[in-house]
Amino acid sequence: MKTVSENKCFGGVQGVYSAPSAACGVDMTFGLFLPQEAEDGPVPLLWFLAGLTCTHENAMTKAGAQVWAAEQGIGLVFPDTSPRGEGVPNDEAYDLGQGAGFYVNATRDPWAKNFQMWDYISDELPALLAANFAIDAERQALTGHSMGGHGALTLAMNFPERYRSVSAFAPIANPTESDWGIKQLSAYIGENKSDWSTHDASLLMRERGFDGPVLIDQGTEDQFWDLLRPEALASAMVDRRQDGRFRLQKGYDHSYFMISSFIEDHITMHAEALYS
């Protein structure tokens, strides 16, 4: 593992690191914020999964999350959204290939060799963090934005024993019925829709739900509303009577301005679950 940078931040350290990934077949970069409490022992960890076109850097620099994480004494990890580099397959469109891993394990060529983001996020990177940093592997939670909100929700409902809480900002909520999903799942996994259900938050919510706090924030002026399909997730939460909150934020769009406006609420919810 290589240290790319480390900066003092709200009493803690905001670092950027790079390490070879067996899952993705290339070096993967991630950001990690550790609060001052990590100097005395392991701290809980909140994952922030980013959206289409993003790297580890977007949420790390734009979400304004560190100040609230420092106040609550929890760590933040900002993974990249896909493998990158020479030899990694890509597509001319922004919503497929590098920057658009969709948090799945690809099974189709040319993507299968590198695009194993499900394994990277759920197994490989957690093990790397636990082995090298003051992280409490038993106290973890997930949040994310757009494609990353899709990843956070699907990971939480597939591995409920690993995560104590989950939240999302404007998640891609129903990818099996959206152009932000049908295209990518077909390319990465194949045309058989029965293989897609474990990667659809609305279907998972209706079938399984989540045994822990859930918080969703969705802007009413989100320019990608029709692609996100938030109504499908809201309906599934109501039908299942899920313990959680789905908030429509009047006038807000899909940008990091929305995220930074409500990130304090999300981190507070996660901190309560992580320290309970």
Side-chain angles (χ1 to χ4, degrees), residues 186-246:
S186 297
Y188 293 145
I189 300 176
E191 302 291 341
N192 187 350
K193 286 193 172 184
S194 64
D195 296 332
W196 299 359
S197 59
T198 57
H199 299 292
D200 188 305
S202 296
L203 298 180
L204 289 169
M205 181 61 70
R206 197 172 294 279
E207 176 188 345
R208 307 179 190 181
F210 181 72
D211 186 19
V214 177
L215 174 59
I216 312 295
D217 273 320
Q218 172 64 57
T220 62
E221 300 304 313
D222 194 313
Q223 60 270 44
F224 302 114
W225 181 287
D226 291 341
L227 291 165
L228 302 172
R229 291 182 51 80
E231 66 278 5
L233 180 58
S235 175
M237 290 179 68
V238 170
D239 289 347
R240 189 171 182 83
R241 301 185 183 183
Q242 171 68 41
D243 176 17
R245 291 174 289 166
F246 192 109

Side-chain angles (χ1 to χ4, degrees), residues 1-5 14-21 24 26-32 47-48 54-58 60 77-85 103 117 120-121 124-125 128-129:
M1 189 176 67
K2 300 176 183 178
T3 300
V4 178
S5 63
Q14 175 62 65
V16 176
Y17 308 94
S18 176
S21 167
C24 296
V26 293
D27 286 358
M28 296 288 287
T29 301
F30 61 93
L32 178 67
W47 293 74
F48 194 114
C54 292
T55 70
H56 69 280
E57 190 173 15
N58 294 72
M60 186 180 79
V77 60
F78 305 96
D80 203 345
T81 56
S82 78
R84 300 176 191 272
Y103 304 101
M117 289 300 294
Y120 176 70
I121 296 295
E124 188 175 40
L125 186 52
L128 180 71
L129 295 174

Side-chain angles (χ1 to χ4, degrees), residues 111-135:
W111 313 105
K113 179 180 177 181
N114 301 107
F115 282 72
Q116 303 295 311
M117 289 300 294
W118 184 264
D119 284 351
Y120 176 70
I121 296 295
S122 66
D123 290 321
E124 188 175 40
L125 186 52
L128 180 71
L129 295 174
N132 290 278
F133 300 97
I135 296 299

